[in-house]
């Protein structure tokens, strides 16, 4: 195929004011940069995707999510990073290159397809939108008006013939904020197409926190204890005289977490995802079930905010197993330990739970999503 997609994520993230650099900050259930990669893959228009990163941020990259994506270190400025990336793909003989800022996660796959269609006829295709704001400009101390009808705000992805872009970059560009500027500065023709209002550039952490909604879900589960079975709680094997009986490993904590999560995301219940009539799920480890549900909820844009768990059991004592369980849940769910709580409750020796014949668990989960 003749197209390559370059994602620029090498900035220092200074204006973002977060310990997690902007490209790796969670947004709609996954790191910001991953939105652009997924859309590029889904468009099926690219044989190569290159992610340009700041080498100081490499520890934040989850390589398991980036099969077939080349990761290279960028430069000190956006224009330098762009030049490094174009040089990197030079030998691969692509006809066109799309350059995109990772800070714009909200473009659509149709925009990629539209740009691709225009590339058949034009050497440079750039999406742009008009502005409803009044615009002024300042030279020294004089402020003047600009007719907003003559204003274009350029967006990314922007697409170019590789050889044209490379030639201009070689000439030296100075500090430009997008490749369109380079073409304009050199009097080269650009086909401007209508961009997307929602394709905003995220600059501050506040840009990500707008339009967030929080939903809550409740989960409950109980299983009978059975002699000579392994006991699993919160995905951890716990030494005990009995284990929990059930179609799967009977892990009441994970089952209640799954139901709470499904409830918060309005996705029915655990039985509708893992029927106990399906032999495939016989003796399945519950953390595999939770992984599957997390994949579904992440794809729908949900991020877990917090989890609160009540484990109702006479024995084993929760204080002895708490930290191990919390650590494991934190790892599976990808949220910090500070966002999960586990409380132990006995049932005062009453009923099946009191006689150590069953363990029950209840959970409340809150999830975040974006309404854009
Ligand atoms: Zn269960």
């Amino acid at each position: 195929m003749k197209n390559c997609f370059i994602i620029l994520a090498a900035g220092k993230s200074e204006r973002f004011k977060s310990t997690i650099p902007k490209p790796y900050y969670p947004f709609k259930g996954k790191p910001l940069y991953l939105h652009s990669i997924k859309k590029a893959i889904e468009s099926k228009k690219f044989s190569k995707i290159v992610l340009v990163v700041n080498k100081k941020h490499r520890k934040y990259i989850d390589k398991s999510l980036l099969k077939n994506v080349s990761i290279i270190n960028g430069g000190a400025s956006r224009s330098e990073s762009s030049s490094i990336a174009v040089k990197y793909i030079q030998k691969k003989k692509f006809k066109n290159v799309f350059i995109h800022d990772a800070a714009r996660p909200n473009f659509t796959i149709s925009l990629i397809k539209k740009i691709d269609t225009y590339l058949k006829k034009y050497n440079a295709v750039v999406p742009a939108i008009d502005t409803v704001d009044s615009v002024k400009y300042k030279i020294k101390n004089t402020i003047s008006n600009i007719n907003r009808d003559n204003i274009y705000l350029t967006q990314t992805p922007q697409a170019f013939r590789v050889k044209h872009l490379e030639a201009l970059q070689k000439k030296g560009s100075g500090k430009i904020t997008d490749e369109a500027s380079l073409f304009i500065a050199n009097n080269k023709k650009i086909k401007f197409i209508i961009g997307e209002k929602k394709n905003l550039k995220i600059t501050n952490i506040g840009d990500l926190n707008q339009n967030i909604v929080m939903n809550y879900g409740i989960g409950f589960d109980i299983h009978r204890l059975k002699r000579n079975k392994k006991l699993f709680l919160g995905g951890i094997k716990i030494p005990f005289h009995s284990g929990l009986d059930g179609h799967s490993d009977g892990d009441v904590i994970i089952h209640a977490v799954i139901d709470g999560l499904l409830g918060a995301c309005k996705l029915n219940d655990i039985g509708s995802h893992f029927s106990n009539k399906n032999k495939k799920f016989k003796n399945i480890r519950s953390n595999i079930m939770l992984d599957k549900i997390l994949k579904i909820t992440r794809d729908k844009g949900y991020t877990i905010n917090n989890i609160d768990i009540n484990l109702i059991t006479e024995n084993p004592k929760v204080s002895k197993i708490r930290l191990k369980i919390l650590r494991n849940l934190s790892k599976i769910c990808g949220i910090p330990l500070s966002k999960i709580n586990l409380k132990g409750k006995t049932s005062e020796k009453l009923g099946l739970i009191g006689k150590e014949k069953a363990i029950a668990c209840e959970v409340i989960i809150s999830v975040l999503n974006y309404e854009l």
Side-chain angles (χ1 to χ4, degrees), residues 20-286:
I20 304 173
K22 182 167 70 176
Y24 310 98
Y25 201 83
F27 175 63
K28 294 186 184 178
K30 49 183 174 279
L32 197 64
Y33 75 93
L34 209 54
H35 291 265
S36 303
I37 288 178
K38 288 213 156 185
K39 284 175 191 176
I41 293 170
E42 275 172 43
S43 74
K44 297 195 171 75
K45 293 287 177 197
F46 304 98
S47 50
K48 181 95 193 148
I49 296 173
V50 180
L51 177 66
V52 189
V53 302
N54 186 319
K55 64 173 186 285
K56 286 187 186 146
H57 299 162
R58 279 202 175 241
K59 64 174 178 189
Y60 296 98
I61 302 170
D62 182 351
K63 285 203 179 123
S64 69
L65 303 171
L66 296 173
K67 282 174 196 133
N68 305 321
V69 174
S70 303
I71 305 168
I72 61 169
N73 293 334
S77 64
R78 186 194 179 283
S79 43
E80 205 183 316
S81 295
S82 169
S83 301
I84 290 170
V86 171
K87 238 178 248 160
Y88 173 79
I89 61 158
Q90 191 188 359
K91 286 191 196 97
K92 309 227 160 64
K93 306 268 178 243
F94 292 107
K95 189 175 178 196
N96 304 313
V97 60
F98 285 54
I99 309 242
H100 179 62
D101 293 324
R104 292 186 190 268
N106 292 324
F107 67 98
T108 64
I109 292 171
S110 337
L111 183 63
I112 290 182
K113 290 185 175 165
K114 204 160 87 180
I115 293 171
D116 185 59
T117 307
Y118 277 100
L119 272 177
K120 289 186 178 84
K121 226 175 126 189
Y122 298 94
N123 293 328
V125 183
V126 171
I129 54 170
D130 51 18
T131 175
V132 288
D133 296 324
S134 298
V135 187
K136 314 277 180 279
Y137 75 101
K138 187 178 164 187
I139 295 177
K140 289 184 181 163
N141 286 323
T142 313
I143 295 176
S144 312
N145 291 316
I146 298 182
N147 183 351
R148 71 179 173 204
D149 296 338
N150 299 331
I151 296 283
Y152 286 108
L153 305 177
T154 54
Q155 303 184 325
T156 69
Q158 304 183 350
F160 311 93
R161 297 273 184 265
V162 177
K163 58 178 183 192
H164 291 195
L165 179 58
E166 200 205 333
L168 293 181
Q169 284 178 333
K170 245 186 210 161
K171 273 175 71 180
S173 52
K175 219 178 169 191
I176 49 147
T177 52
D178 67 354
E179 286 62 38
S181 312
L182 190 58
F183 271 64
I184 291 168
N186 286 282
N187 292 319
K188 300 282 177 195
K189 246 192 175 170
I190 293 176
K191 173 65 184 172
F192 285 102
I193 62 166
I194 297 171
E196 296 175 328
K197 295 265 186 220
K198 284 186 177 176
N199 184 14
L200 297 171
K201 190 169 184 179
I202 287 163
T203 309
N204 305 306
I205 204 160
D207 298 340
L208 286 175
N209 295 336
Q210 283 169 10
N211 306 314
I212 286 184
V213 284
M214 190 180 281
N215 289 301
Y216 302 89
I218 185 168
F220 174 80
D221 197 29
I222 182 163
H223 282 263
R224 209 176 264 280
L225 280 162
K226 196 179 167 187
R227 287 260 165 199
N228 302 320
K229 238 202 124 181
K230 285 177 192 156
L231 176 65
F232 288 97
L233 289 171
I236 296 284
K237 202 172 121 197
I238 312 279
F240 196 52
H241 56 67
S242 306
L244 291 165
D245 200 16
H247 190 66
S248 64
D249 62 11
D251 191 326
V252 282
I253 294 184
I254 292 202
H255 294 179
V257 166
I258 289 175
D259 255 351
L261 186 57
L262 291 171
C265 305
K266 296 168 289 287
L267 290 165
N268 298 329
D269 56 22
I270 192 168
S272 58
H273 292 267
F274 305 97
S275 163
N276 58 13
K277 291 188 181 76
N278 189 336
K279 280 190 191 136
K280 208 168 76 180
F281 302 130
K282 181 91 184 126
N283 295 325
I284 187 175
R285 281 294 309 279
S286 297

Side-chain angles (χ1 to χ4, degrees), residues 289-339:
M289 296 161 75
L290 180 53
D291 272 340
K292 284 190 176 172
I293 298 300
L294 281 165
K295 192 180 177 312
I296 297 171
T297 57
R298 280 183 188 136
D299 284 348
K300 288 192 177 289
Y302 291 100
T303 308
I304 298 178
N305 176 58
N306 85 310
I307 307 177
D308 187 24
I309 305 163
N310 280 346
L311 185 66
I312 309 154
T313 175
E314 218 65 41
N315 273 304
K317 290 287 171 237
V318 169
S319 57
K320 295 208 172 110
I321 54 177
R322 176 180 285 126
L323 196 57
K324 265 190 168 178
I325 290 177
L326 290 179
R327 280 202 179 121
N328 193 46
L329 288 176
S330 152
K331 202 172 131 202
I332 300 176
C333 298
I335 57 169
L337 265 183
S338 59
K339 293 281 190 179

